Amino acid sequence: MDITETPAALEYVTEDLGYSQAPVVVVDDHFHRAGLNPVNIAMATQEATVP
């Protein structure tokens, strides 16, 4: 989702999660990472596919 086009998403990322940079990868309320870091993106992808 593009947070520049969805005000509620931008508010969630900045206010609720406290991030000020993008990209932000959100798997759920407990697992999220910000920044263009391939390791964090890989971890989020793996977390999202584990049942």
Side-chain angles (χ1 to χ4, degrees):
M1 174 180 311
D2 185 344
I3 63 172
T4 64
E5 295 179 359
T6 310
L10 179 59
E11 182 178 342
Y12 175 69
V13 167
T14 58
E15 300 299 321
D16 296 345
L17 300 180
Y19 293 117
S20 60
Q21 65 178 353
V24 176
V25 177
V26 178
V27 175
D28 58 32
D29 287 338
H30 303 287
F31 190 93
H32 42 83
R33 300 285 188 269
L36 187 56
N37 182 326
V39 173
N40 286 341
I41 293 171
M43 286 175 30
T45 302
Q46 182 179 11
E47 184 74 18
T49 58
V50 174

